[in-house]
Amino acid sequence: MGNKVKDWLKKTVPVVQSLERRVAESYWQAATTGDSRYEEEYTTALGGLRRFYADPQLFSRLQSFRESNIEDAQLRRQLDVLYMEAAMVQMPEEDIQAITQLEAQIERSFIHHRAEFRGTPVTDNELKEILKDETDTYKRKDAWKASKQIGKRVAPLLRELVKRRNQAAQRQGYQDYYEMALKLSELDEGLLFSLLEDLKIKTDQPFADLKKELDKQVADRFGLLPEGVRPWHYVDPFFQEAPPVFSRELALDAHFEGRSLEELAIRTFREIGLFVEEILDCSDLYERKGKSQHAFCLDIDREGDVRILCNLHGNGYWMGTLLHELGHAVYDRYHNQSLPYLLRKPAHIAVTEAVAMLMGRLVRDPEWLTKVAEFPKDQMEAVKEALQKQTALDMLVFLRWCLVMVHFERELYRNPDGDLNTCWWDMVEQYQFVPRPETRNAPDWAAKIHLGTAPVYYQNYLLGELTASQIFHAMQKETGAEGHPLVNNPDAGAFLRERIFHQGAALPWGEMLKMATGSKLTAHHFIQQFVPEPADEAKPRRVPKEKADR
């Protein structure tokens, strides 16, 4: 049977490789040009790949092979990887066509959309500048509302897309698409939400403490009481990133203005023994009309053609984003080419996110800022404590935002016709402690591109943060680094290459992580690294044992 499987894979894998390359190349062209011709090519290519996987004969053959007794672990793993891809699209032709068209329509809407701010079309970067610098509350509110305009446009498409996805999943016996997507990405829904609840409980009070300080500073800036702070008073429209209230004196944006972010990134990776020049040479890094306003990394062929898309500006946000996307890119670029094509990819989305997050975190690290970004040491000493506090705030703000997205997306698939506008703000208030705007009833949830184009993905960001801290801890211990293990430490690059990149998808990701770091996934290292102790007055009072027993 092993030989039979090998012969079948020899015929099947080249077809997969060709189809996937066509999808990647057409997506790249569509995202970088906004040309409708490439958008149509991408839609056609994606539909072709899905039709290939949806073939009942292929799926039946996969099921039969997987049920047979195959001793070769690498062969079994290739079948598992193919099976998970094929099971996601077991649906009739009309569903494939409808889902692919809806996804493409939503993607196009985001690529071409330019919000209207007080009668003028503006880019996402321009809206961010307004929310960063503007002190007029009414202008800020208008800018915040403008950032949500796309939601009204795509919400009906997104509801229809969710229902179509659910129908396809239910035909296979799943409750909904959400359950199917988690299972087929090797995630247990019960364990995931148990972990989320544990994180919520452990961060409720520390987040409340930091947000109380944040809101006081934000309120002072606008002449408000803290209870008067609303979503538009923050810099990020979704409050997924914290404003630099504690590290404002660091003036990161001013430090990166006029600098070559690419050169700083090249130096960062070179000093840990990884090289990104070829990646940057074939990437698309600067803003222009028609181009996607987002950032991503794309492995075109699993043979070394790896590209990133950014819209760089000389500020801390884009410095961190560039390092983040290059983190994805080096994972793809340094695959073990001796692995079979199907296994020549990250072990899991959460693991490639972890590597990207490890690199993106550097923009807030004092050692990287002084040694690589050449921030004056005397100034750093003066703001080091504030920067540490800001980093904790950044992490908790993002973690709590992830809780919103993951819980909301599950509800979206459970009840796509429900009152999602209210559901969204219920969760924002519950997890982010941000009050909903009075009398607002709009599909603000639909303004988040991931819900349409990267479904059931957001938990991977949260798992990625936990995994990043676990890898960081293991790397620090393994390499014996006295300072930050990712600053001027070639052993760090060797650790990543050998323990993570070269493993590809040869093992289920939980097994790979345990082999790389010495333990299964845990939140312990993230909590230890970033979550401060609750304020003294917030700590629970000790109760004598005899009273507690009663």
Side-chain angles (χ1 to χ4, degrees):
M1 181 58 75
N3 288 332
K4 192 175 181 180
V5 170
K6 287 178 183 177
D7 290 341
W8 183 77
L9 286 174
K10 280 181 182 178
K11 298 175 184 176
T12 304
V13 172
V15 180
V16 173
Q17 190 170 6
S18 176
L19 290 168
E20 289 187 338
R21 179 166 187 155
R22 188 180 172 203
V23 169
E25 288 177 336
S26 57
Y27 182 77
W28 178 260
Q29 292 295 333
T32 54
T33 67
D35 189 319
S36 59
R37 173 167 60 98
Y38 293 119
E39 291 169 354
E40 289 299 324
E41 285 185 13
Y42 169 66
T43 303
T44 301
L46 184 59
L49 178 62
R50 286 175 171 170
R51 289 182 187 92
F52 172 80
Y53 277 130
D55 181 354
Q57 289 186 339
L58 177 130
F59 193 60
S60 176
R61 181 70 62 88
L62 274 170
Q63 288 175 309
S64 174
F65 284 153
R66 291 178 78 239
E67 290 166 3
S68 60
N69 185 23
I70 298 174
E71 294 182 1
D72 188 320
Q74 199 173 82
L75 276 184
R76 289 200 310 270
R77 185 60 180 163
Q78 288 179 80
L79 291 174
D80 287 345
V81 169
L82 268 180
Y83 174 83
M84 288 185 284
E85 292 284 356
M88 285 295 295
V89 291
Q90 290 306 299
M91 60 185 78
E93 168 64 26
E94 59 268 23
D95 280 353
I96 291 178
Q97 186 171 349
I99 287 173
T100 304
Q101 290 290 344
L102 283 166
E103 288 175 346
Q105 195 172 350
I106 291 170
E107 180 87 36
R108 280 197 299 271
S109 295
F110 275 94
I111 288 175
H112 295 294
H113 175 75
R114 296 297 182 269
E116 186 174 294
F117 172 68
R118 297 194 166 188
T120 302
V122 291
T123 66
D124 287 353
N125 272 330
E126 287 171 326
L127 285 177
K128 285 176 182 175
E129 287 299 313
I130 293 169
L131 290 172
K132 186 181 78 170
D133 298 326
E134 183 57 61
T135 56
D136 185 312
T137 289
Y138 294 103
K139 286 184 180 178
R140 296 184 66 88
K141 186 174 182 179
D142 287 347
W144 181 85
K145 286 182 175 180
S147 74
K148 309 298 181 188
Q149 288 168 1
I150 185 67
K152 186 175 182 181
R153 183 175 172 184
V154 303
L157 300 173
L158 187 48
R159 286 181 190 264
E160 177 61 25
L161 176 57
V162 167
K163 286 187 273 190
R164 288 275 190 171
R165 287 171 176 163
N166 275 348
Q167 289 168 7
Q170 287 158 359
R171 289 193 191 99
Q172 293 193 65
Y174 296 98
Q175 174 183 310
D176 53 31
Y177 180 86
Y178 192 87
E179 179 190 32
M180 180 178 77
L182 283 184
K183 188 169 184 180
L184 294 176
S185 63
E186 300 183 307
L187 289 174
D188 182 280
E189 185 172 349
L191 291 176
L192 172 63
F193 279 85
S194 176
L195 176 63
L196 298 185
E197 181 61 22
D198 185 49
L199 281 169
K200 177 190 178 301
I201 291 168
K202 287 178 177 175
T203 60
D204 265 343
Q205 194 59 57
F207 178 62
D209 293 340
L210 281 173
K211 188 170 182 296
K212 184 178 179 180
E213 291 188 62
L214 161 67
D215 285 348
K216 185 179 185 309
Q217 293 204 35
V218 170
D220 288 346
R221 183 185 177 200
F222 298 106
L224 302 169
L225 294 174
E227 54 268 28
V229 172
R230 291 296 179 267
W232 44 84
H233 291 119
Y234 303 117
V235 174
D236 187 273
F238 285 104
F239 191 46
Q240 70 181 71
E241 295 176 3
V245 291
F246 300 125
S247 62
R248 191 173 289 123
E249 292 179 11
L250 189 64
L252 275 183
D253 289 349
H255 184 70
F256 290 114
E257 188 174 354
R259 304 282 301 277
S260 171
L261 304 190
E262 300 100 300
E263 285 301 319
L264 290 173
I266 288 169
R267 181 179 171 189
T268 300
F269 283 90
R270 183 191 298 135
E271 290 182 353
I272 60 169
L274 302 174
F275 300 92
V276 298
E277 288 89 338
E278 289 184 8
I279 297 168
L280 290 170
D281 285 345
C282 62
S283 294
D284 194 316
L285 301 176
Y286 289 92
E287 192 174 44
R288 65 176 177 277
K289 186 177 180 180
K291 177 184 168 183
S292 171
Q293 298 183 82
H294 300 280
F296 61 80
C297 171
L298 196 60
D299 187 350
I300 298 292
D301 56 9
R302 304 193 197 179
E303 293 181 349
D305 186 354
V306 181
R307 311 170 191 176
I308 66 169
L309 180 145
C310 287
N311 289 277
L312 297 181
H313 279 227
N315 56 41
Y317 170 84
W318 279 109
M319 184 72 253
T321 299
L322 179 60
L323 292 171
H324 178 103
E325 297 305 336
L326 286 172
H328 286 301
V330 291
Y331 199 147
D332 294 334
R333 186 71 175 79
Y334 283 93
H335 285 321
N336 181 354
Q337 290 296 317
S338 68
L339 283 174
Y341 174 83
L342 294 174
L343 305 184
R344 211 181 303 147
K345 65 176 187 175
H348 193 271
I349 297 168
V351 185
T352 183
E353 288 297 348
V355 176
M357 288 163 174
L358 276 173
M359 302 311 301
R361 287 176 182 179
L362 288 172
V363 80
R364 296 284 188 187
D365 182 76
E367 192 171 352
W368 181 85
L369 284 167
T370 53
K371 290 185 177 179
V372 180
E374 299 172 344
F375 196 91
K377 288 184 179 179
D378 57 339
Q379 293 182 35
M380 178 57 66
E381 283 302 316
V383 298
K384 196 171 183 179
E385 188 175 333
L387 180 58
Q388 185 177 14
K389 195 171 186 179
Q390 181 69 44
T391 301
L393 177 65
D394 292 342
M395 286 297 175
L396 285 175
V397 164
F398 184 69
L399 183 144
R400 303 294 293 205
W401 158 248
C402 287
L403 292 178
V404 171
M405 281 293 291
V406 178
H407 283 90
F408 175 80
E409 191 166 21
R410 182 169 67 166
E411 290 305 311
L412 171 64
Y413 283 94
R414 284 180 172 178
N415 186 17
D417 287 322
D419 183 0
L420 297 173
N421 299 355
T422 299
C423 177
W424 173 259
W425 282 103
D426 285 347
M427 291 186 175
V428 169
E429 289 185 330
Q430 180 182 358
Y431 297 112
Q432 291 182 288
F433 304 163
V434 174
R436 72 191 73 204
E438 292 79 359
T439 73
R440 185 168 178 82
N441 182 23
D444 297 329
W445 50 275
K448 196 61 187 169
I449 189 173
H450 293 70
L451 294 174
T453 62
V456 197
Y457 190 100
Y458 234 88
Q459 70 282 344
N460 296 309
Y461 292 126
L462 189 147
L463 296 173
E465 292 288 10
L466 305 186
T467 303
S469 290
Q470 189 162 323
I471 292 172
F472 178 90
H473 174 78
M475 191 187 307
Q476 202 168 36
K477 183 178 178 181
E478 182 77 17
T479 65
E482 294 183 4
H484 195 296
L486 286 168
V487 177
N488 194 18
N489 177 20
D491 290 340
F495 179 97
L496 291 173
R497 281 195 309 271
E498 295 162 15
R499 298 288 187 91
I500 297 173
F501 302 166
H502 283 186
Q503 303 307 315
L507 293 171
W509 77 286
E511 292 181 29
M512 187 283 296
L513 184 64
K514 186 175 181 180
M515 187 174 70
T517 67
S519 66
K520 64 181 182 179
L521 180 65
T522 172
H524 170 74
H525 300 296
F526 178 88
I527 297 290
Q528 190 177 54
Q529 190 174 3
F530 295 115
V531 180
E533 287 288 324
D536 289 339
E537 62 270 20
K539 291 181 181 178
R541 182 172 56 87
R542 287 189 177 275
V543 181
K545 186 176 186 305
E546 62 272 21
K547 291 185 180 180
D549 289 342
R550 291 202 296 267

